[in-house]
Amino acid sequence: MLERYIEKNIFRQVYLCQQLYQKKEIELQTMAERLNVCTVTITNDLEVLRESFTREITTFEKNRNTCSISFDPAYSLLELTQRIYRRSDFLRVLNDYLIGNTHWSEIAEKEFLSTSKIYQIRADIFAFAEELGCLQQDRQIKPREKDLRYLFLAIARYTGDRSAIPFNKVVAAAAGKLIDYVEDHFFARDYPTSEREIIILGIQLGTQRARHSTLQFSEEEKASARQTPLFRLLQEGIKTLDSTICANEEELFYVYSLFNARNYLCNNLELLQKDFEVVYQNHIQRYTEIEKLLQELRSSLNISPENELLLKKAFLPFIRSTWADMQLFQPDLIYLLDKDQLELYQTIQTILDKWSAVGQTTIHWNTNLIRKMTLILDLLHRTTFDENIELYIVAPSDFNFLYYRKQLETLLDDHFVISNMIYNTLDEVVDDVFFCSRRVIVCDTALYQADLGSENTLIFPVSLKTIDETCIAINQILRPSEKSLKG
């Protein structure tokens, strides 16, 4: 919802930056189709990125059809996109207004905006509030406390502007300890730095707003949370750590929502599977109506039974984030679709809308997260797996790991063995001291670093769409040595 009010040029440039940072190269026509503009507009946006990141971009090559950019790894993707988002007048003015500055002339002066510009943004903000259902007859905007907190959190995440979330060293340290506690006691979970930051920011915001604002959760929502091991663990952790980050029980449910919606990793496949089974049971199996939704997606999209685990892995984080209707403003990367995927998206959206109508739920769906799930389900919709086979995989998420693993098992020769360890950085696995024989590493392009391979270590950058090609390349490279041994 929020993305539709952000300036289109800002939205495009963030998406292009994300794509180039992760994939290194893009096709101009593909980007134009996804962003619904012409290739000339994409070219202009790329030039803006080039001028904006003169120090951060190490190589820039563009021809008629493609563009390749390498960024200095010293700069994170989040840091780069925040600089782009900060140019959004809409996000800055919305943040000012929600903080409490309702004098448009003062905001215009502060943000160096013309009178016509500030009134255009005001109209957009009122339209946004009306769609959210919080624009009152006197033109006052009164969002639900849940929505307001997640709006502040999303703006802070996207732009880096934390004016609505004053830093509190004590609270931040307590939040960090609570995350550590969950990681230590819940199947060796590992919340990446970016996910930890969102949780810590959210807890700081909640601690500040709890002094003068109250959250409200229904008894059904509370009962749903209480039966999960995560809620009980947070309750126990706050008590054990003697933490003061929760002023009351309602705030504990809010902290639960922060943890519940975020992604995490684990480098042990057995523990990861146990974690998944527990969370799946408590968020899906306990609820007949959610099970029916999953079954409807499976049958309508014709997902193969062999992809059952991957389907559940894709669906679980999506449905988790709907707890207490808190999905709408969950911050994430931008996900866009091609024409074929858009048809699948419409099917999924229809299924979700019908399910909501039948169950009379009031969930406000996050269309970006639906697109994210669509991208994953599109892979499963088109792909079937056969065999079982082994090697080293570096992946940013457990879904990527499982998907790469399935494809590798299917397409590689049977002398390969895939390691059960899930590596999240190349540094963890490139050290040849521990490996005397020749080996192969399949590394997600988002984590790939050039020139880290060696005589004994072959590293292949891979994405969800290029894994098939990578498997062919691996087979072709290794077969010559096999033939020479046979000869």
Side-chain angles (χ1 to χ4, degrees):
M1 176 185 176
L2 189 60
E3 69 186 38
R4 289 189 283 105
Y5 292 89
I6 297 172
E7 294 84 346
K8 291 181 179 179
N9 65 314
I10 300 295
F11 183 84
R12 290 195 308 268
Q13 289 160 25
V14 168
Y15 181 71
L16 291 172
C17 182
Q18 290 174 353
Q19 291 293 298
L20 284 162
Y21 195 95
Q22 294 178 328
K23 298 179 179 177
K24 320 302 180 189
E25 181 177 285
I26 58 171
E27 294 181 359
L28 303 189
Q29 185 59 41
T30 299
M31 294 297 102
E33 290 174 359
R34 290 184 184 178
L35 290 161
N36 198 27
V37 293
C38 63
T39 54
V40 173
T41 300
I42 298 298
T43 298
N44 292 337
D45 286 331
L46 291 170
E47 287 300 322
V48 172
L49 291 180
R50 184 180 190 176
E51 293 172 4
S52 301
F53 301 127
T54 54
R55 289 186 302 174
E56 295 79 3
I57 293 176
T58 56
T59 62
F60 183 102
E61 296 179 11
K62 189 178 78 65
N63 57 38
R64 184 177 179 180
N65 301 315
T66 64
C67 179
S68 301
I69 292 181
S70 294
F71 290 95
D72 185 336
Y75 299 92
S76 69
L77 175 57
L78 178 62
E79 183 180 356
L80 299 177
T81 56
Q82 283 182 340
R83 285 172 54 181
I84 301 172
Y85 272 126
R86 277 198 289 271
R87 290 192 277 107
S88 169
D89 294 331
F90 176 81
L91 287 178
R92 294 200 313 276
V93 173
L94 177 63
N95 194 58
D96 284 340
Y97 185 88
L98 293 176
I99 287 174
N101 186 0
T102 56
H103 299 285
W104 299 105
S105 58
E106 291 181 10
I107 297 177
E109 184 177 350
K110 173 179 176 289
E111 300 294 343
F112 301 102
L113 299 172
S114 66
T115 302
S116 60
K117 182 66 175 177
I118 194 66
Y119 279 103
Q120 175 193 329
I121 296 173
R122 185 181 72 166
D124 289 339
I125 288 176
F126 283 158
F128 171 77
E130 188 171 12
E131 184 180 351
L132 187 58
C134 62
L135 182 63
Q136 300 182 338
Q137 290 185 345
D138 60 358
R139 310 298 280 175
Q140 294 294 309
I141 298 175
K142 300 289 185 183
R144 298 183 306 171
E145 180 65 17
K146 295 176 185 177
D147 289 333
L148 185 57
R149 291 192 188 189
Y150 273 96
L151 261 174
F152 279 138
L153 193 56
I155 294 172
R157 176 65 170 181
Y158 291 144
T159 67
D161 179 1
R162 301 178 182 178
S163 54
I165 314 175
F167 179 71
N168 185 312
K169 184 177 180 180
V170 175
V171 173
K177 289 179 181 178
L178 184 59
I179 296 173
D180 293 340
Y181 186 88
V182 171
E183 290 179 333
D184 291 342
H185 293 81
F186 208 143
F187 301 114
R189 280 188 181 187
D190 177 20
Y191 289 91
T193 302
S194 59
E195 301 293 308
R196 291 176 69 96
E197 183 184 71
I198 292 176
I199 296 173
I200 292 172
L201 279 175
I203 290 176
Q204 289 188 92
L205 176 63
T207 302
Q208 177 213 10
R209 291 197 59 81
R211 299 169 186 168
H212 50 77
S213 303
T214 56
L215 276 170
Q216 291 184 338
F217 296 94
S218 70
E219 290 306 316
E220 183 180 356
E221 291 165 347
K222 292 178 181 179
S224 171
R226 285 192 184 104
Q227 52 84 26
T228 65
L230 176 59
F231 181 84
R232 295 194 292 270
L233 186 61
L234 289 169
Q235 196 172 34
E236 176 186 300
I238 289 173
K239 182 179 179 181
T240 302
L241 298 171
D242 196 23
S243 178
T244 58
I245 60 177
C246 288
N248 51 56
E249 189 183 41
E250 300 295 321
E251 292 301 320
L252 177 56
F253 287 105
Y254 167 68
V255 171
Y256 167 77
S257 79
L258 293 169
F259 277 85
N260 182 57
R262 302 323 309 168
N263 297 317
Y264 52 86
L265 305 171
C266 178
N267 64 3
N268 183 295
L269 189 59
E270 183 179 352
L271 291 178
L272 177 65
Q273 185 61 25
K274 288 180 179 179
D275 186 311
F276 167 75
E277 289 169 358
V278 168
V279 179
Y280 182 84
Q281 177 185 5
N282 285 282
H283 285 274
I284 297 179
Q285 282 184 325
R286 284 180 181 269
Y287 303 99
T288 305
E289 67 277 10
I290 296 179
E291 279 271 30
K292 287 180 179 178
L293 174 58
L294 180 60
Q295 291 168 9
E296 180 63 27
L297 288 170
R298 181 192 299 112
S299 60
S300 297
L301 305 183
N302 196 25
I303 304 294
S304 166
E306 290 145 350
N307 287 334
E308 180 72 13
L309 177 59
L310 288 170
L311 170 63
K312 292 176 179 178
K313 293 290 294 183
F315 181 68
L316 181 56
F318 174 80
I319 206 66
R320 274 201 340 252
S321 65
T322 63
W323 179 80
D325 192 20
M326 287 183 160
Q327 185 188 84
L328 187 58
F329 299 116
Q330 291 290 341
D332 209 322
L333 298 176
I334 297 172
Y335 298 93
L336 298 179
L337 310 172
D338 60 28
K339 290 181 180 179
D340 292 337
Q341 291 163 344
L342 278 172
E343 291 183 13
L344 184 63
Y345 169 86
Q346 293 297 335
T347 301
I348 294 172
Q349 181 73 69
T350 300
I351 292 171
L352 292 174
D353 290 341
K354 286 183 178 179
W355 178 79
S356 295
V358 170
Q360 297 183 330
T361 65
T362 57
I363 294 174
H364 292 78
W365 302 109
N366 183 317
T367 54
N368 186 52
L369 294 185
I370 298 177
R371 292 196 300 267
K372 179 180 182 179
M373 184 170 66
T374 299
L375 287 168
I376 298 173
L377 296 185
D378 179 54
L379 289 166
L380 306 184
H381 175 66
R382 293 183 289 102
T383 310
T384 56
F385 302 104
D386 300 320
E387 309 170 13
N388 198 14
I389 304 179
E390 200 184 51
L391 116 179
Y392 295 90
I393 302 174
V394 181
S397 71
D398 51 337
F399 176 88
N400 288 46
F401 173 85
L402 289 169
Y403 187 81
Y404 294 152
R405 182 185 177 88
K406 278 284 190 181
Q407 288 291 65
L408 290 165
E409 287 174 346
T410 302
L411 299 176
L412 290 185
D413 293 337
D414 58 9
H415 59 272
F416 288 97
V417 182
I418 303 172
S419 170
N420 284 333
M421 291 297 292
I422 302 176
Y423 296 95
N424 304 128
T425 67
L426 261 178
D427 295 335
E428 295 178 272
V429 72
V430 294
D431 193 345
D432 278 342
V433 171
F434 300 103
F435 301 91
C436 301
S437 58
R438 196 177 187 194
R439 67 203 175 103
V440 174
I441 300 172
V442 172
C443 179
D444 192 279
T445 52
L447 303 172
Y448 179 73
Q449 299 177 56
D451 304 324
L452 283 185
S454 68
E455 184 178 349
N456 285 334
T457 302
L458 298 176
I459 304 176
F460 291 83
V462 67
S463 70
L464 294 171
K465 287 192 173 182
T466 64
I467 180 64
D468 293 7
E469 301 167 15
T470 303
C471 290
I472 294 171
I474 293 172
N475 282 330
Q476 288 175 341
I477 286 174
L478 296 182
R479 276 173 186 155
S481 3
E482 228 178 47
K483 290 177 181 176
S484 63
L485 286 173
K486 289 178 181 177

